[in-house]
Structure formats: structure tokens, C-alpha cells
Amino acid sequence: NAGVTQTPKFRVLKTGQSMTLLCAQDMNHEYMYWYRQDPGMGLRLIHYSVGEGTTAKGEVPDGYNVSRLKKQNFLLGLESAAPSQTSVYFCASTNGQGASDEQFFGPGTRLTVL
Amino acid sequence: GQNIDQPTEMTATEGAIVQINCTYQTSGFNGLFWYQQHAGEAPTFLSYNVLDGLEEKGRFSSFLSRSKGYSYLLLKELQMKDSASYLCAVVDSNYQLIWGAGTKLIIKP
């Protein structure tokens, strides 16, 4: 099992460009999440999904869109990148909404917006 | 508002014991996680506490006091590979994880 994978691992964008980050999991998990991690701050939830075809906003959704067309994939889109979106992006998945269910994380995507 | 507080950085010596504290103020409480994150890598699960008391798992133990809004992670017999950031996260009333900024632990020989 590969667990949670993310592509790409690194990306440099210019302001105004668009891109899509792909997250895939092979654990048949229902719930998937996109976080961003910035220095000196905790992980912040961007968007999440509780199942195929569903998405919901997290704490910092502005400037991002998501789609969950297949259960195993969760895509994060940046329509018009801004320097404030320079960050490390992590995808995570979990089996259910049980409070004790640990989240499994992908290796991260390091995005720089110039 | 919701708040998780952890020390930014701690230093300890190989072979010693270190305690990393976490205090929280959240809207509801459905448990507390500790994750380990090595530099440049993904967070990985260490422990989950929902009831008061100490949970021991090998060299690592985690303690919770719900009345005090307080938890700590205790690492014994420190090894160089324990150099990492340790993230505290609380499950709030909406079953969302609220994350602390993490504590960077530096182990010296």
C-alpha cells in the first residue's frame, strides 16, 4: 500500500497562474482533507470531503477550490495564485469521523508563488 | 476563539527525559492527538487521549487533564532520531482538528 500520495512534490508559480494539486489514497478512506502549513502556525484546514462527490469549506478556503470525483482522489485547485499562498500543502485521509480516528498524511507539496 | 499553546522550541540531551506541554481552549472537546513531524516530512500519529490520565506507549507517554485544558507528551531515553517537531491537536465539537504550532525538539549528544 502506498498510503497517501501527493503530486507534485515541488512547484514554483508566478502570480496569477493556476495549478492543481493531486492527492490519492489507497486505504479506501471516506474522509479527505487539505491543509496548509506555514512557519510558526499550526496546520490550517482549507477544504475537506466526507465522501465521494462531497466537499466542504475549512478554516481558510478563500482562493482555493476542490473536487472529489472519485473516492480515492481529492484535488486542490488554485485559480489565480498569490504570494500569500506560498506554503507547504498536506493532504490527509481518515476512515471515518470517529474522534479517535487518526489522520494519515501525504508527503506534502512545497509551493512557492513569486 | 480556539487556541492551542505549545512551547516553540525545546532542547534536551540524548538519553534524558523531556516533557512537552500543550494547553488548549476550544469549543468542545472530543479528544487530543499528538503527532510527530520530522523536518521536511509529513506528520505521523503518536497518541490519542480522550479520558484523563496517562497513556504509555513504549518510550512515549501522553497525559491529559480535561478540567485544566492541559496535556503533555513525555519522551524517555531520548535518541537522536527523536529530533523533530511535536504537534498537539484537539478534536473540537464539530469533530474538526485544531492544531497547535508545534514544538521543535532538539536533541544534543
Side-chain angles (χ1 to χ4, degrees), chain A residues 5-102:
Chain A
T5 59
Q6 292 182 233
T7 52
K9 288 186 169 53
F10 303 92
R11 187 73 185 267
V12 178
L13 290 178
K14 294 181 179 179
T15 296
Q17 288 185 319
S18 63
M19 77 165 294
T20 300
L21 284 67
L22 172 64
C23 175
Q25 53 94 4
D26 61 3
M27 296 176 282
N28 201 35
H29 284 171
E30 289 292 338
Y31 290 71
M32 296 186 75
Y33 308 84
W34 276 108
Y35 291 97
R36 60 178 289 172
Q37 187 174 43
D38 301 295
M41 303 183 72
L43 287 162
R44 290 184 292 168
L45 184 64
I46 304 171
H47 286 280
Y48 64 100
S49 169
V50 301
E52 182 178 316
T54 74
T55 63
K57 294 181 180 179
E59 179 188 356
V60 289
D62 295 342
Y64 306 95
N65 57 75
V66 288
S67 64
R68 183 101 181 265
L69 298 180
K70 293 183 179 181
K71 185 177 183 179
Q72 62 267 35
N73 295 339
F74 195 28
L75 278 64
L76 178 71
L78 286 73
E79 291 182 345
S80 179
S84 61
Q85 294 177 304
T86 293
S87 188
V88 180
Y89 292 86
F90 286 102
C91 175
S93 71
T94 187
N95 194 33
Q97 205 184 13
S100 63
D101 289 335
E102 66 174 281

Side-chain angles (χ1 to χ4, degrees), chain B residues 48-105:
Chain B
Y48 172 77
N49 294 67
V50 66
L51 299 176
D52 289 351
L54 187 68
E55 297 265 352
E56 297 187 74
K57 205 187 273 189
R59 293 189 299 114
F60 291 10
S61 302
S62 55
F63 171 85
L64 175 67
S65 169
R66 288 172 297 172
S67 63
K68 295 182 179 178
Y70 168 70
S71 173
Y72 67 73
L73 182 69
L74 191 71
L75 290 74
K76 302 176 183 176
E77 302 170 12
L78 285 169
Q79 302 175 9
M80 297 303 292
K81 67 179 182 179
D82 298 330
S83 292
S85 289
Y86 292 86
L87 314 180
C88 173
V90 171
V91 185
D92 72 5
S93 56
N94 294 319
Y95 290 90
Q96 298 292 343
L97 278 176
I98 310 300
W99 295 83
T103 299
K104 182 179 181 180
L105 178 63

